[in-house]
Amino acid sequence: MSASPAAPVRITIVVAVVLSAVLEVLDSTIVNVALPHIKSAFGATTDQTTWILTSYIVSAVVVMPLTGFMARRIGRRRLILTAITGFAVFSALCGLSWSLGTMVAFRMGQGMFGAFLIPLSQSILFDAFPKEKRGQAMAMFGLGVVVAPVLGPTIGAILTDTYSWRMVFFVNLPIAALALLMLGGELPKDEPENVRIDWAGLFLMAIGIGALQFLLDQGESKDWLSSRVIQVAAIAAALGGLAFVIRGLGRSETIVDLRLFADRNFAAGNAIIAGFSVAMFGGIAILPLFVQGLLGYPVIEAGYLFIPRGLAAGFSMVITGAVLVNRFDPRMLAALGLILTAWSNFATGALNLDASFWQLAWPGVIGGFGMGLVFVPMSTLAFDKIDSARQNEASGLYGVTRQLGSSIGIAIVGAMIVRGLAMDTALLTQHVTPYSAAAQAYLAPLGLTPQSTEGAAILSGEIARQAALMSYTRVFDMLGWVAAGLLPILLVMRRPTQSGAAPLAH
């Protein structure tokens, strides 16, 4: 069939909003690889450099729920164009940073503008396509939101190793310029509304969400509740969040419409996407530590490890959105995706210290297929009954849930690795003594004894390696059970009235 006159416009909008989404999600992982180089450039400590990540995430997660309000206040077209421009400006400033303090300040600005990009991109796509074509739109959108952060470590490693750490920020500029050019020419204008600002709600939300994100980011490095700062953050998160929810449920006009969660598909979809982010991105976060710190992979080769996962995720996104969602119940597709995600984590946890590149990569491929099977159907299910007037707001809340889930996953796996390593080292040490027959047999081929200095050092190193492996295995198994544990939530979700996906041109 021939393309309709509107088809080129739709394709342009899809490409533009995918580029907008890539700006934000790529930046969330591409910077991680460059942190050691930034640390050396500024003479900073490890704790200080974590603020480069924390400042961005905290500012983004606080601002993201305001997407619906700001879109009504100044217009969606103006907001996304402003957000892309602001993100590009602060990206350039990050690349030009001359101290750690300026870097942290510019990253905070990056996060504030970047917070709007994913929710606005998603809501623009929902409005651009009818329900029966949303699967196709979400498949294209998912290529940016899910594949970009998976490939982020690879791209960051190549740019940092070949050029400079500053390039991980400058790479945003051509992407932003292209997205601005395309959206500025195709996105229709909309009229802003005279919306009253709920200052009290805004304050409570910022305190609750900001303190929670800070707690998740800094808790492990500050030894959690043994730190007075983390204690204050926990209290602020609990009181601010509770007050915001109680106040929001009792008012008709608030900064964020919590009544969206009355829709069971939207509420269940948020729960699943949060848990999925824990299971998937928690594993992605510790995989570089596993292969570089324990298996001795160089940074470039560790980055290449994510390429098969990214390709599988991209293929899965397209096939799920273009074909599968149109033919099968999205709940069944999401269930298969969660099973593959669980399988991926269990398979990674079953590896040993002699694992080859492809033994490490294949579980990632399985997980990549799972990403597409979860992401596209979840978007279709969660937003099925959300009307167009509330799309921006719902997308903002959905984005916050995804981000908090990812942060919770990273915080949990970080704590489990540290505590598990100490526990497993103590456990193994109890069974390895200078008079142990196993220790003597292990060192005998080397002509050493446990009593010798060199022999004791080899035993100590091997204990540390085995303890670390046990700790990582426990974490990957836990993430697998998290993914599997989400399956019952699908039972409360309704099948969408129209869940198909048609080609962009028809």
Side-chain angles (χ1 to χ4, degrees):
M1 291 183 287
S2 61
S4 67
V9 175
R10 288 176 178 172
I11 293 174
T12 303
I13 289 177
V14 168
V15 173
V17 297
V18 167
L19 288 174
S20 302
V22 165
L23 275 174
E24 201 279 333
V25 295
L26 180 63
D27 206 76
S28 65
T29 57
I30 194 174
V31 178
N32 293 22
V33 179
L35 283 181
H37 299 265
I38 298 174
K39 174 184 173 182
S40 299
F42 294 145
T45 64
T46 300
D47 284 348
Q48 288 172 333
T49 53
T50 61
W51 281 101
I52 295 173
L53 302 178
T54 302
S55 59
Y56 178 93
I57 297 173
V58 171
S59 62
V61 82
V62 169
V63 172
M64 199 177 293
L66 301 177
T67 304
F69 169 79
M70 292 300 295
R72 295 196 307 271
R73 181 87 177 181
I74 69 173
R76 185 168 63 182
R77 182 180 188 275
R78 185 180 300 172
L79 179 60
I80 192 169
L81 295 179
T82 301
I84 295 171
T85 303
F87 189 87
V89 169
F90 277 102
S91 293
L93 291 172
C94 286
L96 296 171
S97 296
W98 53 92
S99 67
L100 182 66
T102 56
M103 168 70 79
V104 170
F106 295 149
R107 284 284 285 171
M108 188 174 295
Q110 235 191 341
M112 291 175 63
F113 284 100
F116 297 117
L117 295 178
I118 290 182
L120 287 176
S121 298
Q122 188 170 26
S123 66
I124 288 170
L125 280 182
F126 276 145
D127 282 352
F129 295 93
K131 275 189 176 182
E132 66 271 12
K133 298 182 182 179
R134 281 185 179 177
Q136 177 77 20
M138 285 301 99
M140 299 299 294
F141 177 70
L143 285 172
V145 172
V146 177
V147 178
V150 172
L151 295 180
T154 304
I155 299 171
I158 294 172
L159 290 174
T160 302
D161 191 66
T162 307
Y163 300 103
S164 162
W165 63 262
R166 298 181 186 273
M167 285 302 298
V168 303
F169 298 106
F170 292 143
V171 74
N172 292 329
L173 302 185
I175 302 174
L178 185 56
L180 275 175
L181 183 65
M182 299 176 78
L183 279 177
E186 299 291 356
L187 195 62
K189 295 182 179 179
D190 53 337
E191 291 298 322
E193 303 174 21
N194 186 18
V195 184
R196 186 177 65 86
I197 300 177
D198 177 18
W199 292 108
L202 176 59
F203 174 77
L204 290 173
M205 184 192 69
I207 291 295
I209 295 181
L212 175 60
Q213 184 64 53
F214 174 84
L215 183 154
L216 294 171
D217 284 347
Q218 295 293 310
E220 180 57 39
S221 64
K222 298 184 182 300
D223 200 20
W224 296 102
L225 292 178
S226 63
S227 165
R228 183 60 58 87
V229 173
I230 297 301
Q231 292 174 6
V232 172
I235 293 171
L239 295 180
L242 183 62
F244 173 72
V245 170
I246 292 174
R247 185 178 183 278
L249 293 176
R251 298 171 67 92
S252 58
E253 292 187 11
T254 58
I255 200 74
V256 174
D257 187 3
L258 296 178
R259 291 171 297 181
L260 285 163
F261 290 102
D263 178 76
R264 74 185 191 192
N265 269 29
F266 185 72
N270 274 271
I272 290 176
I273 205 66
F276 174 73
S277 296
V278 171
M280 179 56 69
F281 294 107
I284 289 175
I286 62 168
L287 190 59
L289 301 176
F290 178 58
V291 299
Q292 291 180 62
L294 189 57
L295 304 186
Y297 277 61
V299 62
I300 290 293
E301 204 166 334
Y304 289 156
L305 194 62
F306 286 90
I307 293 178
R309 182 192 294 263
L311 294 174
F315 178 79
S316 178
M317 287 283 179
V318 173
I319 293 299
T320 303
V323 179
L324 300 182
V325 174
N326 193 37
R327 299 184 180 182
F328 300 99
D329 186 337
R331 296 170 298 181
M332 297 299 102
L333 296 175
L336 177 58
L338 291 173
I339 291 171
L340 291 179
T341 301
W343 185 7
S344 171
N345 280 304
F346 288 140
T348 305
L351 297 174
N352 57 37
L353 295 173
D354 298 319
S356 67
F357 179 91
W358 281 108
Q359 286 176 318
L360 287 161
W362 274 114
V365 172
I366 295 169
F369 280 113
M371 293 172 85
L373 286 167
V374 172
F375 185 86
V376 176
M378 271 301 105
S379 298
T380 303
L381 289 162
F383 290 86
D384 181 50
K385 299 296 182 182
I386 305 297
D387 58 72
S388 59
R390 300 193 296 172
Q391 288 289 352
N392 294 321
E393 198 157 18
S395 296
L397 289 173
Y398 196 71
V400 170
T401 302
R402 180 181 57 80
Q403 178 60 62
L404 287 176
S406 176
S407 298
I408 290 170
I410 293 170
I412 289 174
V413 299
M416 286 185 66
I417 290 294
V418 172
R419 283 157 175 71
L421 183 59
M423 180 182 68
D424 293 327
T425 300
L427 180 65
L428 292 176
T429 303
Q430 291 177 1
H431 300 282
V432 179
T433 69
Y435 307 101
S436 164
Q440 293 175 4
Y442 180 78
L443 294 174
L446 303 175
L448 300 171
T449 66
Q451 290 83 3
S452 66
T453 302
E454 188 177 354
I458 291 175
L459 282 179
S460 178
E462 187 59 29
I463 288 173
R465 277 163 43 88
Q466 293 296 334
L469 179 63
M470 292 168 64
S471 184
Y472 279 108
T473 296
R474 186 183 300 109
V475 169
F476 281 114
D477 285 347
M478 180 275 297
L479 295 175
W481 285 115
V482 168
L486 298 172
L487 290 167
I489 303 178
L490 288 167
L491 298 175
V492 306
M493 303 185 82
R494 298 181 300 263
R495 182 171 183 170
T497 52
Q498 290 177 307
S499 59
L504 289 179
H506 58 282

